[in-house]
Amino acid sequence: MKPTQSLLMVFLLPVLMIIVPALILGAFALTIAREKALDSYRIQSADLATLVEMANFERRLGNLHESLTQALNESKNNHPSKLDRYSEYSYIDLQLDEMGERIEHLAGSGLIDDLHADNAETLLLSFQEYRRFIDMANEAATLNQNNVGDFMQEAEANFNRFIIFTQRTFEALTERANERHQQTFQALSRSIGTLVWFGLGLVCVLIGGAAFASWRINRRLMIIGDAILDLSTSHQTIPDFDDIQRISQRHSGPLKHIATALLSFRKTEQKRREAERKVHRLAYYDTLTQLPNWRLMKEHLQLSIDTNQQTDTFGALVYLDIDNFKRINDSCGHRAGDCLLQELSERLSALNIDGATLGRVGGDEFVMIVEGLPADLLKAAEKTERLTEQLQHSLGQPYQWGQKEHYLSASIGIALFGDSEHNVDNLFQYASAAANLAKQSAPNGLRFYDPAVQAELEAKTELERDLRLAIERQEFVLVYQTQVDSKGRAIGAEALIRWQHPQQGFISPGTFIPLAEETGLIVPIGQWVLEAACAQLVAWANDTSTDHLVLAVNVSAKQFQQPDFVDTVRGALANSGASAQRLKLELTESTVIGSVDDTIARMHQLKALGISFAMDDFGTGYSSLQYLKRLPLDQIKIDQSFVRDLHQNPDDMAIVQTIIAMGRALGLNVIAEGVETLEHWRYLNDHQCHAYQGYYFCKPLSAVEMVKRSLTPPPMLT
């Protein structure tokens, strides 16, 4: 049998439980009713036959008595022969025998017996007494005796008594037959009623059993149906299916197969949903911080834009860019950076800002979408600013990693939105641009987006395009600023790059160098500077008046950290023929921070070539003295920010004196940049600074003009 046929039998079972027993019960009830009806019919027929026979007997007995009386009277008056008398006597005797048999038959009927037990015996005795006197009268008549009349009188008397008795008996039998008929009808009615009530009771029991069976079957089917619905509804949690488990264990047949199939499908569906959740998690959430990623935040931002347009309120997209996070990865490793990012995301999530959704959209970049801001633009900006203060305060708390505390800050850009002019991509672009401007202004800064931001961003994009073309078109030039000793004599120069833009003219390094650092173009630009500087050293080496000059070249951190940097410098020296002893590389403190051991090893490789090193912008970074004493430096350079206000700021004086003393203690040459007045030179010289660089001696000039300037008599200290 097919499973579908078996399942159909399960559905038909409640119906069969009623129909089959009902048919059997109906047939049984009809059989019993038929038997009862037949019994009643037989009894009624027998009683009716008895009554008919009783009536016929009385009539025939009356005729027979009349015939006997007439025969006896004729015999008395006519004196028939013995043969006639004997024939008549035989006829009468036969009639009496027949009547006697009928009397016995009537006496044996159930109706007479049911009337009274003595009725049959009394009837027989009465007839026998009557017959006895008839026989006696007949015998007396045959013998010609004179007492025939006496016997006939007695026979007549007995006949009358017998007739009266038979009439009374007939009446009683009629009444009894009627009673028996009523009793039989009542018995039949009771039997039918009993059968009906028994049938109804049994049918009720069957209906109850069928209803219970239907309820159980329906309950199991409902359990199975609910299980199928639960499995088909993807947004609901898959239940435990305990009832399905019990069905599979306690039952057999199609229900067991269905339950087993559902349990198997549940496992499959659970695995599918788990895989779907993992895919959704990977697609919409950041794997490190478990925060919504770029894709989910874009969708949420679009929903926020639509909601704000409907409610006539403002929203804000807050863009957080962690300041100098690369320093953490370089100095402590990426594991430390990941842990700090996780702690940072937990702090931001713990703020529980109403109507705010936090997400991570980049390595060290987070965004927060704030909804439900006031409809007034100024009030919305003020509320957003207060929220960002909470963010900055939370981010500014120390982070513990290992045995050290670290501090982080974030540059924040904010883009407000509330009308149909804004779209998702533009808002992210605006907020990111505002964050970049905040970072350029100062760490831990905050900027709101305005149209000027976009203009500045577009200008930056155009500048980047031109910068890439500038490398191909050789639009860069080097200028040189003289470096002098304590007597004002030229001992070298610093090579400074300038960009001669075809349309904009000379562009300051402060404009394009940060962009080159950001885009990675600083590496090919630095390579060009190094090669141009080596070529200039070769030109100076061919002139006795300039062959002693040392040329300092600035090297960016990104350029210095290139794996092939040592080979690049060696190749530039070899290709140009420049002397390594006349080349000085100026490094910033950011170049050293990170993999210190690799930096020191690379510096020693270059020192082996004869190249010298200077620490540029000393005092403005975060260099440790522990690192400083390990670095193979030849010179430290006092930043011009400490020299510019030397005579107005006592703190600058103290810093300058400390740097000079430190350099002398470490055996390092000290050079000060930003020397613009005689007073600057005199003060530095009085405190035994070794070399100087600044506008007082020479502005950045071309190589020819710088040489001319350096050949003039040096200024004198007065």
Side-chain angles (χ1 to χ4, degrees):
M1 183 178 292
K2 295 182 179 179
T4 52
Q5 296 174 341
S6 300
L7 189 59
L8 180 62
M9 293 301 297
V10 172
F11 285 101
L12 293 178
L13 179 60
V15 179
L16 296 177
M17 287 180 64
I18 298 176
I19 293 178
V20 174
L23 292 175
I24 296 174
L25 177 63
F28 179 70
L30 289 175
T31 302
I32 294 177
R34 182 172 176 275
E35 292 291 336
K36 291 289 184 180
L38 289 175
D39 290 341
S40 177
Y41 174 76
R42 284 194 294 267
I43 292 173
Q44 291 179 14
S45 297
D47 290 347
L48 183 61
T50 300
L51 292 175
V52 172
E53 189 175 0
M54 191 73 179
N56 292 331
F57 173 76
E58 184 180 357
R59 180 179 54 78
R60 292 180 64 185
L61 183 61
N63 294 332
L64 178 61
H65 178 70
E66 185 177 355
S67 298
L68 286 174
T69 302
Q70 184 178 2
L72 288 174
N73 289 329
E74 289 179 356
S75 175
K76 180 179 177 182
N77 297 323
N78 299 324
H79 302 286
S81 63
K82 291 183 179 179
L83 180 60
D84 293 334
R85 288 195 193 104
Y86 180 78
S87 299
E88 186 70 25
Y89 174 78
S90 298
Y91 173 76
I92 293 172
D93 190 56
L94 288 173
Q95 291 294 321
L96 289 174
D97 288 340
E98 184 181 354
M99 295 300 292
E101 291 177 358
R102 289 185 176 277
I103 288 295
E104 290 179 358
H105 181 266
L106 287 174
S109 67
L111 182 61
I112 295 177
D113 187 64
D114 183 66
L115 181 64
H116 198 277
D118 297 335
N119 286 338
E121 185 178 356
T122 302
L123 185 64
L124 289 173
L125 289 175
S126 297
F127 179 75
Q128 291 174 1
E129 188 69 20
Y130 167 72
R131 182 175 182 177
R132 185 171 65 86
F133 281 103
I134 289 295
D135 289 339
M136 290 175 64
N138 191 24
E139 184 178 357
T142 304
L143 296 177
N144 295 318
Q145 294 178 357
N146 294 321
N147 56 354
V148 175
D150 298 333
F151 291 124
M152 285 300 296
Q153 290 178 357
E154 289 295 331
E156 183 71 24
N158 285 306
F159 174 76
N160 292 330
R161 285 195 297 270
F162 179 77
I163 290 300
I164 293 172
F165 177 75
T166 56
Q167 288 178 352
R168 292 177 180 174
T169 302
F170 183 76
E171 293 175 358
L173 287 176
T174 302
E175 293 178 359
R176 184 58 183 163
N178 186 38
E179 292 176 359
R180 281 167 59 90
H181 174 70
Q182 292 180 355
Q183 290 175 355
T184 303
F185 179 76
Q186 291 175 357
L188 179 61
S189 299
R190 284 195 300 271
S191 299
I192 294 175
T194 302
L195 287 174
V196 170
W197 284 110
F198 177 76
L200 290 176
L202 185 58
V203 168
C204 291
V205 172
L206 291 175
I207 291 175
F212 178 73
S214 299
W215 174 78
R216 291 197 65 183
I217 294 173
N218 183 67
R219 181 173 176 271
R220 294 168 190 157
L221 294 176
M222 287 297 292
I223 291 172
I224 293 174
D226 291 341
I228 294 174
L229 288 177
D230 291 336
L231 290 175
S232 63
T233 306
S234 59
H235 64 273
Q236 289 185 354
T237 304
I238 299 179
D240 295 333
F241 280 11
D242 294 335
D243 294 334
I244 301 296
Q245 185 72 34
R246 285 193 289 270
I247 291 175
S248 67
Q249 293 174 352
R250 298 179 183 178
H251 297 274
S252 60
L255 289 179
K256 179 180 179 66
H257 297 325
I258 294 174
T260 304
L262 283 175
L263 291 174
S264 176
F265 186 68
R266 178 183 179 275
K267 292 182 180 179
T268 304
E269 179 66 11
Q270 198 168 19
K271 292 180 180 179
R272 186 194 68 79
R273 292 191 185 184
E274 185 65 27
E276 191 177 68
R277 281 193 293 270
K278 289 181 179 179
V279 171
H280 181 270
R281 173 65 61 176
L282 291 174
Y284 287 97
Y285 289 89
D286 177 57
T287 56
L288 178 64
T289 62
Q290 305 306 314
L291 293 175
N293 61 10
W294 169 267
R295 183 177 181 181
L296 184 56
M297 292 303 289
K298 288 182 67 176
E299 294 181 2
H300 186 75
L301 181 58
Q302 182 60 57
L303 181 62
S304 299
I305 293 173
D306 297 338
T307 302
N308 287 333
Q309 291 176 3
Q310 296 173 1
T311 58
D312 195 22
T313 57
F314 272 96
L317 179 63
V318 181
Y319 202 99
L320 295 88
D321 191 352
I322 308 302
D323 297 323
N324 298 321
F325 190 76
K326 185 177 183 299
R327 175 170 53 86
I328 300 295
N329 287 330
D330 292 341
S331 60
C332 302
H334 287 278
R335 183 184 175 190
D338 291 344
C339 292
L340 292 181
L341 287 175
Q342 289 175 336
E343 184 176 351
L344 183 148
S345 63
E346 291 173 359
R347 288 188 186 184
L348 295 179
S349 300
L351 293 176
N352 291 325
I353 299 175
D354 292 337
T357 303
L358 178 68
R360 183 188 181 205
V361 297
D364 57 356
E365 297 174 345
F366 296 80
V367 295
M368 180 176 287
I369 301 172
V370 184
E371 300 177 356
L373 296 175
D376 183 79
L377 181 61
L378 182 58
K379 292 181 179 179
E382 291 175 350
K383 185 174 182 180
T384 307
E385 188 173 10
R386 289 194 295 271
L387 293 178
T388 56
E389 289 175 357
Q390 297 182 34
L391 300 179
Q392 289 177 327
H393 176 74
S394 178
L395 293 176
Q397 303 303 312
Y399 299 81
Q400 192 72 31
W401 171 254
Q403 302 299 324
K404 297 181 180 180
E405 287 187 347
H406 298 273
Y407 291 87
L408 295 177
S409 63
S411 298
I412 299 179
I414 302 173
L416 298 175
F417 57 89
D419 52 48
S420 58
E421 295 181 359
H422 298 103
N423 59 57
V424 172
D425 294 332
N426 287 343
L427 285 175
F428 272 104
Q429 184 181 5
Y430 298 159
S432 176
N436 288 334
L437 286 178
K439 177 175 286 191
Q440 293 175 10
S441 300
N444 203 36
L446 170 66
R447 285 287 295 270
F448 280 86
Y449 172 80
D450 56 36
V453 175
Q454 184 63 26
E456 187 173 343
L457 184 62
E458 293 175 356
K460 182 179 178 181
T461 303
E462 184 177 358
L463 185 65
E464 179 183 349
R465 185 186 68 249
D466 292 345
L467 187 59
R468 295 182 183 276
L469 294 175
I471 300 174
E472 300 176 3
R473 298 172 180 176
Q474 298 291 318
E475 295 175 356
F476 297 109
V477 295
L478 287 182
V479 294
Y480 304 90
Q481 188 174 32
T482 307
Q483 296 177 343
V484 300
D485 59 12
S486 58
K487 295 182 179 181
R489 294 173 298 187
I491 58 175
E494 180 181 3
L496 302 172
I497 190 171
R498 296 292 185 268
W499 180 12
Q500 191 173 8
H501 194 278
Q503 287 80 32
Q504 302 180 26
F506 280 100
I507 298 178
S508 170
T511 301
F512 71 86
I513 290 297
L515 180 61
E517 290 276 2
E518 181 181 345
T519 59
L521 294 175
I522 193 66
V523 174
I525 292 175
Q527 174 70 20
W528 178 86
V529 171
L530 183 62
E531 293 175 353
C534 289
Q536 187 59 54
L537 281 175
V538 172
W540 285 346
N542 295 328
D543 190 339
T544 56
S545 62
T546 57
D547 58 1
H548 65 287
L549 297 178
V550 175
L551 185 57
V553 177
N554 290 286
V555 178
S556 70
K558 187 171 293 186
Q559 181 184 6
F560 187 81
Q561 291 166 0
Q562 295 296 313
D564 60 345
F565 180 71
V566 175
D567 294 334
T568 299
V569 175
R570 184 184 293 113
L573 292 172
N575 293 334
S576 62
S579 172
Q581 287 74 18
R582 295 287 179 262
L583 180 63
K584 179 170 63 177
L585 300 181
E586 292 190 358
L587 308 177
T588 59
E589 295 178 7
S590 61
T591 306
V592 179
I593 294 177
S595 182
V596 178
D597 293 336
D598 290 344
T599 300
I600 294 174
R602 193 166 296 166
M603 291 176 68
H604 278 296
Q605 292 176 4
L606 294 171
K607 288 281 287 185
L609 299 177
I611 297 172
S612 59
F613 287 95
M615 178 65 72
D616 195 12
D617 301 334
F618 187 80
T620 60
Y622 304 94
S623 291
S624 169
L625 295 178
Q626 180 69 23
Y627 295 158
L628 186 61
K629 74 176 185 178
R630 295 177 56 192
L631 296 174
L633 294 172
D634 300 284
Q635 188 180 62
I636 56 177
K637 198 170 189 178
I638 302 174
D639 189 70
Q640 60 181 346
S641 62
F642 302 124
V643 178
R644 186 180 302 111
D645 300 325
L646 191 59
H647 291 88
Q648 288 80 23
N649 193 329
D651 292 337
D652 289 342
M653 292 182 180
I655 292 174
V656 168
Q657 293 177 25
T658 301
I659 294 175
I660 294 174
M662 184 187 301
R664 296 181 67 86
L666 294 174
L668 299 176
N669 188 273
V670 180
I671 182 173
E673 64 177 352
V675 179
E676 298 180 354
T677 65
L678 180 61
E679 288 76 12
H680 290 161
W681 185 22
R682 181 181 294 112
Y683 182 85
L684 293 168
N685 189 68
D686 291 343
H687 289 84
Q688 300 181 351
C689 184
H690 301 100
Y692 315 92
Q693 176 183 341
Y695 281 13
Y696 181 72
F697 303 102
C698 180
K699 293 182 179 181
L701 301 171
S702 65
V704 175
E705 292 177 347
M706 190 219 74
V707 170
K708 290 181 180 179
R709 182 68 180 267
S710 65
L711 294 178
T712 60
M716 300 295 294
L717 282 173
T718 56

